[in-house]
Amino acid sequence: MKSEHIPKATIGRLTVYVEVLERLKREGSEVVSSESLAEACSVNPSQIRKDLAYFGEFGVRGVGYYVAKLISAIKQSLGVDRKWNCALVGVGNLGRALLRHRDFQTKGFDIKVAFDCDPYKIGETIEGLEVICTRKTKEKIQELNLEIGIITTPPERAQRAANYLVEAGIKGLICFAPGRIEVPEHIPLEYVDFFDHLFAVAFNITLGQLGK
Amino acid sequence: MKSEHIPKATIGRLTVYVEVLERLKREGSEVVSSESLAEACSVNPSQIRKDLAYFGEFGVRGVGYYVAKLISAIKQSLGVDRKWNCALVGVGNLGRALLRHRDFQTKGFDIKVAFDCDPYKIGETIEGLEVICTRKTKEKIQELNLEIGIITTPPERAQRAANYLVEAGIKGLICFAPGRIEVPEHIPLEYVDFFDHLFAVAFNITLGQLGK
DNA sequence: CATCGCTTGTTAAAAATTTCACAAAAGAAC
DNA sequence: GTTCTTTTGTGAAATTTTTAACAAGCGATG
């Protein structure tokens, strides 16, 4: 098949596949069928085959998928087979936790700068990274060739952070602050919101209790 | 309309509506139309009306929705118009950050216990909460009537944490560890994964660059 | 080297979700 | 109190996404 429009949900599932495949690899599996991978990911086997088909043919008929090969293929398809230089804005609790979170490095997202506008925080060092004044956004983004902005400010400062980053030429944003922000059409933007998921759990519990 | 099956995506959007409505309320709006709310949430106005219709009729024709009323209505519909007692398992960087995160309180999710299996952490106090040994899971869950479990352990310990919580009678789970876990059918489970979203941003940046 | 079993890639069908379009209803204007 | 404007709630249409079904292809077996 290859290309055309790719459902957003597909992207989400591909990252799950990678996660699960990496576990399988650690556990010694060399080959996996769409059926067993589907089982491990709690999805339909056709779904997996279709998701992969958007990007190419990665399997061997009668055999399945070579785990290591498939991991590479998916990562390459998603564009995460390389390093991405990131900037974090907003060094609060969450920002700090993310800076300390090793997986960013591991997964290829290198946080190269941490910005904050609070004079008390500027100059502080976290995980070997000096907190820098937000005024220097443009300078630093361009100097270090940063591509992805991670917004961990309080909600009322999220829009301003986004503006600075976009103006400085950032290519994409991920926003942990609640509420929506505005960015130009061509800048990919994703929101991360735990409460989304907490609400969903609460809702489903409530639903289950009513149903019974 | 009312009831029947509700799309998962609807739940996600409803939480966005609440977020945006609360901002509008703070800014002094008393009434909002589906059109302007849609604008603020970057969705289609019909979508909003349909999402709301699953739960009842909350608007006034020719007028719109009363902001404060709509917030209550949505919260009630989702089952978040009350307190939910939560247990957190895994006091690492992320766990600590969540414990310090004020919004849990604010939004009605009361983290009443923090569990960890590391003897060095047990007894430590974070935000007025003593870290308790995982062995006491069952006892505490039942004693404090905890309903939602928040899993912030490393991935290899997530399944065990889930097992303990489920066995202790937890009603729903939210898992921040990467990888999938298994729980009984009737236990609502949601995963929170930043990398999902980071991958999506990376993918969309890559896509945009190819397209051009 | 033909046959058989298995698993992919893909086309077609089904299901779910979103968008459109408009009748119904509320309030304002006259 | 009738008409006009507005905006909801909803049934029907369009679109998207998921699932099922199966032909095509790979490797093993004899």
Side-chain angles (χ1 to χ4, degrees):
Chain A
M1 196 187 265
K2 199 122 185 184
S3 91
E4 83 188 71
H5 169 255
I6 288 150
K8 199 181 150 109
T10 291
I11 305 301
R13 281 190 301 265
L14 287 172
T15 72
V16 175
Y17 304 159
V18 171
E19 211 82 71
V20 171
L21 285 164
E22 286 187 325
R23 178 173 56 75
L24 290 175
K25 189 178 165 198
R26 278 197 304 277
E27 292 172 4
S29 303
E30 302 207 333
V31 179
V32 68
S33 68
S34 60
E35 190 174 336
S36 54
L37 181 57
E39 163 96 45
C41 301
S42 312
V43 302
N44 183 298
S46 292
Q47 183 79 83
I48 293 192
R49 298 203 297 274
K50 170 129 298 187
D51 284 339
L52 296 176
Y54 286 116
F55 296 96
E57 304 191 5
F58 307 127
V60 182
R61 292 172 195 222
V63 177
Y65 300 90
Y66 291 98
V67 174
K69 262 191 179 168
L70 186 55
I71 293 173
S72 310
I74 297 178
K75 285 191 173 176
Q76 187 170 29
S77 302
L78 290 177
V80 294
D81 57 338
R82 67 174 189 88
K83 284 253 171 294
W84 286 89
N85 294 330
C86 305
L88 183 142
V89 188
V91 184
N93 284 328
L94 186 63
R96 278 169 212 270
L98 295 186
L99 289 172
R100 293 199 191 99
H101 202 298
R102 292 304 163 87
D103 286 6
F104 278 90
Q105 274 285 359
T106 315
K107 304 210 174 177
F109 295 88
D110 242 346
I111 304 179
K112 297 272 194 189
V113 195
F115 294 108
D116 205 293
C117 59
D118 180 348
Y120 285 101
K121 289 178 184 161
I122 293 165
E124 188 187 337
T125 300
I126 303 166
E127 294 290 300
L129 219 62
E130 194 190 347
V131 176
I132 291 177
C133 177
T134 5
R135 282 167 208 260
K136 296 188 181 152
T137 306
K138 195 161 191 172
E139 181 188 327
K140 282 287 170 185
I141 298 278
Q142 292 174 350
E143 177 191 328
L144 298 171
N145 193 28
L146 308 182
E147 299 180 284
I148 296 180
I150 301 170
I151 299 177
T152 47
T153 63
E156 62 274 17
R157 247 165 284 153
Q159 182 66 61
R160 202 177 51 178
N163 294 348
Y164 282 157
L165 288 166
V166 169
E167 205 192 331
I170 207 84
K171 291 181 186 157
L173 291 172
I174 182 162
C175 180
F176 285 78
R180 305 285 107 171
I181 59 180
E182 297 270 349
V183 298
E185 191 85 47
H186 67 281
I187 305 284
L189 164 63
E190 290 280 323
Y191 296 94
V192 179
D193 186 356
F194 325 144
F195 292 102
D196 244 53
H197 297 277
L198 265 175
F199 278 27
V201 171
F203 172 67
N204 285 313
I205 293 175
T206 309
L207 210 65
Q209 288 172 343
L210 291 175
K212 291 274 161 63
Chain B
M1 199 186 261
K2 197 120 184 183
S3 91
E4 84 189 71
H5 169 252
I6 290 150
K8 197 180 153 113
T10 291
I11 305 300
R13 281 189 302 265
L14 286 172
T15 73
V16 175
Y17 304 159
V18 170
E19 211 83 72
V20 171
L21 285 164
E22 287 187 327
R23 178 172 56 74
L24 290 175
K25 189 177 164 197
R26 279 196 303 276
E27 291 170 7
S29 304
E30 302 208 331
V31 180
V32 68
S33 68
S34 60
E35 190 174 337
S36 54
L37 181 58
E39 164 98 45
C41 302
S42 313
V43 301
N44 182 298
S46 295
Q47 183 80 83
I48 293 192
R49 299 205 294 278
K50 176 131 294 194
D51 284 339
L52 295 175
Y54 285 116
F55 297 96
E57 304 192 6
F58 306 127
V60 181
R61 290 170 197 226
V63 177
Y65 300 89
Y66 291 98
V67 175
K69 261 191 178 167
L70 186 54
I71 293 172
S72 309
I74 297 178
K75 284 191 172 177
Q76 188 168 30
S77 302
L78 291 176
V80 295
D81 57 339
R82 65 172 189 92
K83 283 253 173 299
W84 287 88
N85 293 330
C86 304
L88 183 143
V89 187
V91 184
N93 284 329
L94 185 63
R96 278 167 213 272
L98 295 185
L99 289 171
R100 293 199 190 99
H101 202 298
R102 290 305 162 88
D103 286 6
F104 277 90
Q105 273 286 358
T106 314
K107 305 213 173 175
F109 295 87
D110 243 347
I111 303 179
K112 296 275 194 187
V113 194
F115 294 108
D116 205 293
C117 61
D118 180 348
Y120 285 101
K121 289 176 185 163
I122 293 165
E124 189 187 337
T125 299
I126 302 166
E127 293 290 301
L129 217 61
E130 194 191 345
V131 177
I132 291 177
C133 177
T134 8
R135 282 166 206 261
K136 296 189 181 152
T137 307
K138 193 158 190 175
E139 180 188 328
K140 281 288 170 187
I141 299 278
Q142 292 175 350
E143 177 191 328
L144 298 170
N145 194 28
L146 307 181
E147 298 179 285
I148 297 179
I150 302 168
I151 298 176
T152 47
T153 63
E156 61 275 18
R157 247 166 282 153
Q159 182 64 62
R160 203 177 51 177
N163 293 348
Y164 283 158
L165 290 166
V166 169
E167 204 193 331
I170 207 80
K171 291 180 186 158
L173 291 172
I174 182 163
C175 180
F176 286 78
R180 304 287 107 171
I181 57 180
E182 297 270 351
V183 299
E185 190 84 49
H186 67 283
I187 304 284
L189 165 63
E190 290 280 324
Y191 296 94
V192 178
D193 186 356
F194 323 147
F195 292 101
D196 243 54
H197 298 277
L198 266 175
F199 278 27
V201 171
F203 172 67
N204 285 312
I205 293 174
T206 310
L207 209 66
Q209 288 173 341
L210 291 175
K212 290 272 161 63

